[in-house]
């Protein structure tokens, strides 16, 4: 695997690119590559990956690291986890930055040894490794600092290469390159000196002196400094030397330029500048469209690039504002634009025809033999632009628009997003003043975030700041309040809201109404179904409007079916909604949206979250939902929307929407706990409890209490758990809701098991069985019976457990409940493993897999496969164990099931260990450990450390093995019989346990494995 950071992050294996995943994984790998060989702390990674870290930041870092480890391990790298963070180690020569530095060092050695040609070759090879700005598109404080350091090293190599080539007599070929380099880096004195020497050797001493004078002015204007000793000495030397005659130059056509002023504080956009320059240099003629929302900096970028390239267009640089989005002004007609363009290239007014078609013909004729650059700013659409395009091969047209101009044939589109964080800070510093900005870096970061990294907003805020005796923190406080933010983002006749509203006013009425309503979305993104709910229209109509809003850059589209508003566009939409729509209409739209999320959580949880407690939702209408053909679709939709549902619940709680405030968390909590997103459950459930109590809804109160108990149990606060569950059970009994009481008793038993109170748990489960039987709730009775069997197994009462499981199997078969039969078969197979009856276990688990597939029960299939793999490994069927283990892992990941994924990772790792694949086993175990840390799964994590101990033991490292076994014992909850596995090895280094046995032999230390009946 080769790792490339000298340009956009890229991984290549055998010459082919390797996919890494999303931006977070890429940024994490970039940070690790920049710190190769050292530990990068969790705190630093969190600070670099988020401007405002969420509560789940550490878990998300662990998830991203797991994805990175899977990639780098395959390429021979090693990512290790320590207490403080991660360390990445790579084989020598695999990181392009390291290779660049090595070749530069070798070039210096060659130069010192008197072989400049070899030095030139080495430096050129080193510079050829660069593909663009370092880690382009992945901004953070550390990445930006490292990029700046590497950029400086590159410039030093460029300077040194030019010096050596000049020593070898390469004058003519150097002049063009040096001229461009000096224009790009006007303050690099060594580059300027080399250019002056090259010009002098080419017989152009006058130009050399001009280059010195240009440098002197640049240094004085930018830094208030004089040229350094090298430049002054060379200048004096050129003045003293005998003049050399300069070659005659051919007469050139008078160059005309109508370009606007290039703003002196233009900052950043290096990748976009490079993209524009490349597009212009590789096409003939070149047409480039620069598209983006109002205030994004489109015109500033294009004018900056046009000025940078103006020496390439000696026959004219034209600029026309087409007024496509100008207040109270219609877009410019093609005839008027053509008249302006013809005048700009020198055609006298009396020669310009009146007829627009004749003007078009004259424009094509006049530009046929010219090299001209044409900037068409503020274009309304493709129809307005098309008559203005010159057909000459040497022409370049840069078109600026708020809309996507897809109908312009052959155009290269460049879409502008907000500024990267580092560029945004740099722009603020340049306008506000570096001393005041640098005194409050954290407040500057707040301001940048509140400006949404929109250049226009940053420019206005910084301009206002530099004229006030404010602190940056005071400016940030002004921007946090929406009303004051609108005033702060206004300067004279220019305002951010006004610029953004120009796009809005060009929309049709129904488009404007939907745009305004999107400000009501509490979450960060939305799909067409949510928009349809807001507007109360069919989803296809909403989809058409959303696509139009994307095309005019009022909406951003982060994936194929997800949309979002820039923060300041949201402000604009909210102000427009407040002005145009009565509060009652806004509340009606908001209720439709909230009902949509409530209905989606309810319907999608019925199939994918079996055993979930149901209730009648308080819908005022039944919204249209996206199609779902499977359990996987259900989970995918919940995964896409759960953050929005949490945001709706938070809004509902804060604004007195009590029904949504309790019902949505109670519907959503089973999904959050299922996929390991447990950290926010406690606050959500407490808010749900307050809302239910405010309504006097005792059913909601009972459900919220149960969810609070679950969250407290995950945090190990067992005393509080029992108290909350007792209250929930009492309310259920009081209401006569005995099915809910059964569920509460089962939750109580599970909490008692986790607390190591096995006898109390048995009593709770037995009471649940009796209560379920009394109300003839067969399914609850069976599930409670399985719970009792779990306790029996932990107490070593295998006969009792076997009897309960067989009774449960018979009851499910009698009732025709195939899903329940799958659950019991998994438990029977697990129990058979505990008793050393692997053939019996295989029969039960194979039947569970088959039945799961017949009824499409993906969760049951994944768990069955995971434990079937364990059984095959114990039987010595290693190839079969590897195959089903990989199937189990794929199934768990497809369904986003965190705990089954952990079981599958650990089981597959144990099989890899039995097959002698130590490196693969180790990678899987670290993935399991990280997943368990992120999802608060102590049993999965403990088992992972058992596996790592086995790996260390196989490698002949008993001390490290003991450390992992001791860690596993400490991680297992009190009373967990699984702890006997590592204890067996700690007592006897030669012992075998359920984790390491393979073949038909009986392990010397057979222990009980935990129950997995949570399927039901």
């Amino acid at each position: 695997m080769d790792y490339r950071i000298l340009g956009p992050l890229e991984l290549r294996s055998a010459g082919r690119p390797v996919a890494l995943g999303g931006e977070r994984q890429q940024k994490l790998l970039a940070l690790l590559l920049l710190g190769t060989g050292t530990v990068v702390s969790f705190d630093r990674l969190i600070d670099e990956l988020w401007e405002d870290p969420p509560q789940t930041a550490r878990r998300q870092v662990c998830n991203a690291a797991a994805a990175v480890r899977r990639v780098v391990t395959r390429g021979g790298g090693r990512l290790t986890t320590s207490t403080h963070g991660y360390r990445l180690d790579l084989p020598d020569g695999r990181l392009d930055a390291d290779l660049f530095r090595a070749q530069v060092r070798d070039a210096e050695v060659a130069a010192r040894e008197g072989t400049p040609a070899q030095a030139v070759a080495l430096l050129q090879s080193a510079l050829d490794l660069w593909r663009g700005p370092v880690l382009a598109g992945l901004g953070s404080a550390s990445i930006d600092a490292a990029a700046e350091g590497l950029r400086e090293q590159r410039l030093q190599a460029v300077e040194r290469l030019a010096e050596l080539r000049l020593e070898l007599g390469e004058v003519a070929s150097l002049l063009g390159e040096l001229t461009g380099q000096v224009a790009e880096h006007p303050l690099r004195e060594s580059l300027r000196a080399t250019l002056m020497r090259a010009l002098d050797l080419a017989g152009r001493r006058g130009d050399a002196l001009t280059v010195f004078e240009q440098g002197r002015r640049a240094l004085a204007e930018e830094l208030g400094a004089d040229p350094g000793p090298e430049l002054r000495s060379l200048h004096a030397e050129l003045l003293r030397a005998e003049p050399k005659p300069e070659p005659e130059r051919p007469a050139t056509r008078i160059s005309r330029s109508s370009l606007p002023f290039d703003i002196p504080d233009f900052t950043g956009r290096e990748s976009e500048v490079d993209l524009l320059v490349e597009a212009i240099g590789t096409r003939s003629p070149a047409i480039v469209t620069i598209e983006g929302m109002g205030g994004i900096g489109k015109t500033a970028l294009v004018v900056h690039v046009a000025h940078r390239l103006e020496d390439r267009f000696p026959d004219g640089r034209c600029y026309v504002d087409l007024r496509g989005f100008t207040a109270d002004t219609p877009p410019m007609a093609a005839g008027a634009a053509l008249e302006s363009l013809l005048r700009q290239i020198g055609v006298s007014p009396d020669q310009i025809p009146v007829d627009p078609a004749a003007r078009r013909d004259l424009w094509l004729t006049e530009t046929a033999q010219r090299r001209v650059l044409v900037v068409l700013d503020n274009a309304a659409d493709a129809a307005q632009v098309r008559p203005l395009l010159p057909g000459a091969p040497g022409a370049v047209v840069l078109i600026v628009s708020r809309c996507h101009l897809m109908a312009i044939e052959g155009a290269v589109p460049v879409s502008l997003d907000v500024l990267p964080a580092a560029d945004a800070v740099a722009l603020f510093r340049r306008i506000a003043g570096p001393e005041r900005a640098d005194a409050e870096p954290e407040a500057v970061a707040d301001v940048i975030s509140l400006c949404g990294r929109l250049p226009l907003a940053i420019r206005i805020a910084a301009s206002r700041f530099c004229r006030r005796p404010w602190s940056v923190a005071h400016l940030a406080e002004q921007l946090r309040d929406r009303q004051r933010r609108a005033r702060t983002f206004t300067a004279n006749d220019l305002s951010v809201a006004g610029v953004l509203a120009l796009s809005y006013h060009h929309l049709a009425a129904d488009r404007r109404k939907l745009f305004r309503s999107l400000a009501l979305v509490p979450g960060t993104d939305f799909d067409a179904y949510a928009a349809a709910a807001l507007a109360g229209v069919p989803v296809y109509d909403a989809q058409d409007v959303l696509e139009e809003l994307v095309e005019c850059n009022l909406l951003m589209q982060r994936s194929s079916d997800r949309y979002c508003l820039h923060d300041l566009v949201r402000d604009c939409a909210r102000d427009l909604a407040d002005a145009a729509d009565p509060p009652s209409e806004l509340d009606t739209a908001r209720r439709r949206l909230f009902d949509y999320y409530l209905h989606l959580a309810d319907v999608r949880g019925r199939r994918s979250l079996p055993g979930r407690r149901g209730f009648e939702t308080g819908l005022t209408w039944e919204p249209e939902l996206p199609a779902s053909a499977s359990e996987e679709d259900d989970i995918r939709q919940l995964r896409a929307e759960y953050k929005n549902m949490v945001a709706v619940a938070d809004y509902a709680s804060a604004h007195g929407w009590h029904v949504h405030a309790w019902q949505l968390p109670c519907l959503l909590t089973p999904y959050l706990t299922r996929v390991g997103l447990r950290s926010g459950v406690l606050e959500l459930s407490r808010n749900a409890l307050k809302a239910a109590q405010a309504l006097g809804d005792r059913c909601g109160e009972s459900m919220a209490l149960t969810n609070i108990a679950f969250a407290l149990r995950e945090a190990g606060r067992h005393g509080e758990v029992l108290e909350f569950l007792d209250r929930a059970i009492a309310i259920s009994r009081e209401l006569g809701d005995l099915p809910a009481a059964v569920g509460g008793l089962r939750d109580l038993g599970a909490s008692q098991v986790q607390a190591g109170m096995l006898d109390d748990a048995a009593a709770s489960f037995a009471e649940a069985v009796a209560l379920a039987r009394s109300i003839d709730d067969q399914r609850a009775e069976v599930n409670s019976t399985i719970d009792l069997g779990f306790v029996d197994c932990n107490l070593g009462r295998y006969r009792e457990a076997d009897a309960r499981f067989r009774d449960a199997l018979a009851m499910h078969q009698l009732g025709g409940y195939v899903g329940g039969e799958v659950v019991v078969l998994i438990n029977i197979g697990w129990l058979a493993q505990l008793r050393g009856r692997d053939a019996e276990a295989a029969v039960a688990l194979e039947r569970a897999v088959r039945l799961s597939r017949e009824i499409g029960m993906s969760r049951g299939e994944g768990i069955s496969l995971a434990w079937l793999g364990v059984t095959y490994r114990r039987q010595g069927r290693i190839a079969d164990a590897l195959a089903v283990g990989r199937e189990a892992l794929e199934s768990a990941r497809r369904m986003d099931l965190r705990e089954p994924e952990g079981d599958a990772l650990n089981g597959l790792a144990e099989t890899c260990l039995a097959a002698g694949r130590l490196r693969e086993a180790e990678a899987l175990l670290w993935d399991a450990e990280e997943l368990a840390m992120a999802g608060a799964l102590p049993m999965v994590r403990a088992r992972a450390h058992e596996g790592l101990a086995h790996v260390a033991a196989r490698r002949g490292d008993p001390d490290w093995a003991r450390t992992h076994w001791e860690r596993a014992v400490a991680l297992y909850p009190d009373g967990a019989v699984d702890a006997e596995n590592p204890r067996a090895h700690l007592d006897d280094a030669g012992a075998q346990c359920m984790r390491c046995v393979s073949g038909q032999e009986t392990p010397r230390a057979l222990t009980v494995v935990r129950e997995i009946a949570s399927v039901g």
Side-chain angles (χ1 to χ4, degrees):
M1 187 91 73
D2 291 321
Y3 299 80
R4 300 182 177 185
I5 65 172
L6 302 180
L9 178 64
E10 185 177 81
L11 279 64
R12 298 190 75 84
S13 179
R16 296 182 178 180
V18 176
L20 177 59
E23 181 180 350
R24 185 161 299 138
Q25 289 96 319
Q26 294 178 35
K27 191 177 288 188
L28 184 138
L29 176 57
L31 292 164
L32 295 172
L33 288 170
L34 292 173
T36 302
T38 62
V39 174
V40 183
S41 70
F42 286 110
D43 290 342
R44 180 180 163 198
L45 290 171
I46 290 171
D47 289 342
E48 298 288 340
L49 293 176
W50 287 275
E51 293 180 11
D52 181 18
Q55 290 183 346
T56 60
R58 187 180 178 96
R59 176 185 60 74
Q60 293 186 49
V61 167
C62 292
N63 290 346
V68 169
R69 176 177 283 110
R70 284 193 288 271
V71 173
V72 301
T73 301
R74 291 198 299 269
R78 181 180 175 86
L79 179 60
T80 55
T81 309
S82 71
T83 306
H84 304 292
Y86 296 99
R87 169 177 170 151
L88 177 62
D89 293 293
L90 301 178
D92 292 340
R94 292 304 183 189
L95 181 62
D96 60 354
D98 291 342
L99 188 56
F100 166 76
R101 296 187 190 98
Q103 290 181 341
V104 170
R105 287 194 300 269
D106 292 344
E108 282 303 317
V109 172
R112 287 196 301 270
E113 293 177 350
T115 55
Q118 182 182 357
V120 165
L122 285 166
L123 282 173
Q124 190 60 60
S125 176
L127 291 169
D128 287 344
L129 294 170
W130 286 74
R131 298 168 292 109
V134 173
L135 294 168
L138 297 177
S140 77
S142 291
I143 289 175
D144 295 343
E148 185 59 33
L150 283 165
R151 178 174 172 271
E152 175 62 26
Q153 294 174 33
R154 179 183 177 276
L155 282 174
Q156 291 173 3
V158 168
E159 292 168 346
R160 184 63 174 135
L161 177 60
E163 293 170 358
L164 291 169
R165 288 176 63 187
L166 198 59
E167 288 178 18
L168 293 172
E170 298 182 29
V171 177
S173 60
L174 259 180
L175 285 176
E177 297 176 27
L178 281 170
T179 301
Q181 291 286 353
V182 169
E184 188 174 354
H185 309 287
L187 305 181
R188 303 286 298 194
E189 295 190 40
S190 56
L191 269 178
R192 191 172 294 275
T194 306
L195 174 58
M196 290 169 62
R197 291 190 182 95
L199 287 167
D200 182 50
L201 289 172
R204 297 167 57 184
R205 185 166 298 160
D207 287 342
L209 293 172
T210 299
V211 168
F212 171 83
E213 180 59 24
Q214 291 170 343
R216 186 193 66 75
R217 286 200 304 269
L219 288 164
E221 291 171 2
E222 293 288 332
L223 305 177
D226 294 325
E230 180 185 9
L231 273 184
R232 293 200 306 272
S233 174
L234 178 57
H235 180 246
E237 178 184 330
L238 293 175
L239 290 174
R240 289 193 301 269
E242 290 292 327
K244 298 178 182 179
E246 295 189 13
E248 291 187 8
R249 299 180 183 176
T252 59
R253 189 178 305 188
I254 295 174
S255 177
R256 298 173 177 269
S257 178
S258 302
L259 295 175
F261 180 60
D262 185 12
I263 56 175
D265 53 17
F266 183 87
T267 303
R269 298 292 192 198
E270 291 183 5
S271 60
E272 290 88 349
V273 169
D274 291 342
L275 182 58
L276 284 172
V277 171
E278 180 183 358
I280 290 169
T282 57
R283 289 172 175 254
S284 180
I287 303 173
V288 184
T289 61
I290 298 88
E291 304 159 353
M293 63 186 285
I296 204 75
K298 302 180 295 296
T299 300
L301 170 65
V302 169
V303 170
H304 177 72
V305 170
H307 276 284
R308 176 171 163 177
L309 300 175
E310 60 183 349
D311 60 338
R312 298 190 191 179
F313 303 95
D315 302 326
R317 282 86 65 196
C318 306
Y319 174 88
V320 179
D321 181 356
L322 297 175
R323 302 197 301 264
F325 295 88
T326 302
D328 304 320
T329 304
M332 182 181 287
L338 285 166
E339 179 181 7
S340 176
L341 289 169
L342 287 166
R343 288 190 178 202
Q344 289 180 42
I345 62 171
V347 178
S348 63
D350 59 336
Q351 294 178 319
I352 299 176
V354 175
D355 180 57
R359 288 180 179 180
R360 166 71 175 160
D361 293 340
L362 181 59
W363 169 244
L364 292 176
T365 301
E366 287 292 330
T367 56
Q369 302 301 321
R370 300 183 191 233
R371 285 188 55 77
V372 292
L373 171 67
V374 180
V375 177
L376 301 176
D377 195 9
N378 202 8
D381 51 36
Q384 184 190 29
V385 167
R386 199 174 286 112
L388 312 180
L389 301 178
V396 167
V397 186
L398 303 178
I399 307 168
V400 178
S401 180
R402 297 185 178 203
C403 295
H404 296 328
L405 304 179
M406 295 175 286
I408 299 179
E409 297 81 1
V412 177
V414 176
S415 295
L416 285 197
D417 203 342
V418 295
L419 286 171
D423 289 351
V425 170
L427 177 60
F428 183 87
R429 287 181 75 252
R430 293 191 69 169
I431 299 172
E435 290 186 3
R436 294 175 69 190
D438 292 347
E440 300 177 80
E442 293 182 0
V444 169
D446 288 343
V447 168
I448 296 306
S449 176
L450 290 163
C451 289
R453 306 208 306 270
L454 190 71
L456 177 61
I458 295 170
R459 186 172 294 281
I460 293 176
S463 297
R464 183 177 292 276
F465 169 78
C466 74
R467 291 169 172 80
R468 300 285 197 281
W470 294 346
S471 66
V472 185
H474 178 76
L475 173 62
E477 198 60 37
Q478 295 280 316
L479 296 177
R480 283 193 180 92
D481 180 83
R482 186 164 68 91
Q483 300 302 325
R484 288 190 291 178
R485 182 162 64 232
R487 292 195 298 271
T488 304
F489 286 146
T490 302
N492 300 323
D493 61 343
L494 182 66
S495 74
V496 173
V499 168
L500 296 173
L502 290 174
S503 300
Y504 163 83
H505 289 301
H506 283 74
L507 298 171
D510 60 331
R511 270 65 174 151
R512 291 201 297 268
K513 184 172 181 61
L514 178 55
F515 172 73
R516 296 194 303 268
S517 69
L518 292 175
L520 305 178
V521 176
T524 57
D525 67 351
F526 50 87
D527 64 3
Y529 289 88
L534 267 171
V537 300
V539 68
Y540 293 112
D541 292 345
Q543 216 156 19
D544 289 342
V545 179
L546 294 176
E547 287 302 313
E548 185 173 335
L549 294 176
V550 169
E551 288 173 11
C552 63
N553 282 293
L554 282 171
L555 268 188
M556 296 182 288
Q557 194 168 15
R558 298 304 190 195
S559 63
S560 60
D561 59 349
R562 309 294 301 177
Y563 305 86
C564 64
L565 288 167
H566 184 279
D567 289 344
L568 299 185
V569 175
R570 185 190 297 272
D571 280 356
C572 176
R574 187 179 290 118
D575 291 340
L576 292 166
D578 290 343
D581 301 312
S584 59
E585 282 191 21
L586 297 178
D587 275 347
T588 299
R590 188 178 280 115
R591 183 175 296 279
R592 285 197 302 263
L593 177 68
F594 288 9
D595 280 355
Y596 165 72
Y597 285 121
L598 187 64
H599 190 48
L600 184 70
D602 182 27
V603 174
R604 293 296 169 256
R606 292 174 190 170
R607 173 170 49 190
S608 60
L609 303 170
R612 186 199 67 174
R613 219 170 130 186
F615 54 86
E616 289 295 322
T617 54
L619 296 180
T620 57
W621 74 307
E622 188 168 311
E624 187 177 357
L625 298 183
S628 176
S630 65
E631 192 177 344
E632 286 90 341
D633 285 347
D634 292 345
I635 291 297
R636 178 183 54 78
Q637 290 178 23
L638 290 172
R639 181 167 58 246
E641 298 292 3
Y642 80 87
K643 291 181 181 178
N644 293 322
M645 293 175 179
V646 170
V648 168
D650 289 341
Y651 181 96
S653 177
H655 293 84
W657 293 59
H658 297 311
V659 172
H660 296 87
W662 84 257
Q663 291 190 351
L664 197 48
C666 288
L667 290 172
L668 189 57
T669 293
Y671 168 76
L672 295 176
T673 57
R674 165 181 175 158
V675 298
L677 297 167
R678 294 167 164 87
S679 59
V681 169
L682 183 57
E683 183 179 359
L684 269 177
S685 300
R686 282 177 168 158
N687 288 339
L689 178 61
K690 292 176 185 176
Q693 289 173 334
L695 288 171
D697 192 317
R698 297 286 279 166
C699 174
E701 185 178 350
S702 171
M703 294 186 69
L705 286 167
T706 300
N707 290 338
I708 290 172
F710 175 85
L712 292 171
R713 186 175 75 200
E714 291 297 304
R717 294 159 62 177
H718 300 297
E720 296 173 82
V721 170
L722 303 182
E723 174 191 342
F724 277 94
L725 284 174
D726 283 341
R727 288 171 58 189
I729 294 168
I731 291 173
S732 297
R733 291 184 187 276
E734 172 191 326
L735 296 174
D737 188 355
L738 298 186
V742 173
L745 287 166
R746 292 186 64 206
D747 287 334
L748 180 62
S751 300
Q752 290 163 333
V753 167
Q754 189 167 346
M757 303 162 59
L758 296 179
D759 290 331
D760 291 335
S764 297
F765 291 144
E767 187 177 357
V769 170
L771 187 56
R773 188 176 295 139
S774 72
I775 59 175
D776 198 26
D777 188 338
Q778 187 181 50
R779 187 169 299 182
E781 180 183 351
V782 174
N783 289 335
S784 302
T785 300
I786 295 172
D787 293 334
L788 268 176
F790 164 62
V791 176
D792 288 332
C793 288
N794 273 275
L795 295 173
R797 300 196 298 238
Y798 295 154
R799 285 187 182 176
E800 291 86 340
D802 183 71
R804 297 189 197 283
F805 293 154
R806 300 292 173 183
D807 287 346
L809 180 63
M811 292 173 72
H812 278 316
Q813 289 176 334
L814 182 63
Y817 178 37
V818 180
E821 186 177 349
V822 169
V823 173
V824 183
L825 286 169
I826 292 172
N827 282 277
I828 288 172
W830 164 68
L831 176 59
Q833 284 183 14
L834 302 182
R835 304 171 85 173
R837 301 174 181 177
D838 295 323
E840 183 181 335
V843 170
L845 292 168
E846 285 168 351
R847 177 169 171 76
V849 171
R850 186 171 65 255
L851 290 177
S852 297
R853 288 172 173 167
E854 287 176 2
I855 63 173
M857 186 179 177
S858 300
R859 180 176 173 84
E861 178 187 349
I863 296 175
S864 303
L865 286 168
W867 291 102
L868 184 59
V870 171
T871 300
Y872 286 163
R873 185 257 302 162
R874 285 164 50 85
Q875 290 180 308
R877 299 167 57 181
I878 302 302
D880 292 337
L882 288 170
V884 299
R886 292 192 178 101
E887 280 189 80
L889 183 57
E890 179 184 346
S891 174
R893 284 176 172 164
R894 185 176 65 249
M895 289 286 292
D896 201 13
L897 305 175
R898 299 300 177 88
E899 192 164 3
E901 181 182 352
D903 289 339
L905 284 166
N906 280 323
L908 183 56
E910 289 158 7
T911 302
C912 288
L913 182 69
R917 302 179 181 183
L918 300 189
R919 176 175 290 185
E920 186 177 350
E922 185 177 30
L924 290 165
L925 291 163
W926 279 119
D927 284 353
E929 203 270 350
E930 284 168 355
L931 179 143
M933 285 180 65
L937 303 171
M939 302 285 280
V940 172
R941 192 178 176 203
R943 184 176 170 189
H945 278 280
E946 285 190 66
L948 291 168
H950 283 105
V951 171
R954 289 281 294 272
R955 287 178 172 162
D957 190 346
D959 293 338
W960 194 228
R962 175 169 286 275
T963 298
H964 280 297
W965 272 316
E966 289 173 347
R967 183 65 178 147
V969 171
L971 284 168
Y972 278 122
D974 292 341
V977 293
D978 279 359
E980 297 307 313
N981 285 310
R983 287 196 182 103
H985 287 284
L986 290 171
D987 293 340
D988 179 0
Q992 283 186 301
C993 70
M994 293 189 67
R995 311 297 190 209
C996 60
V997 64
S998 61
Q1000 296 294 340
E1001 66 271 36
T1002 301
R1004 295 170 59 185
L1006 275 177
T1007 56
V1008 180
V1009 184
R1010 69 184 174 82
E1011 187 262 346
I1012 57 173
S1014 58
V1015 178

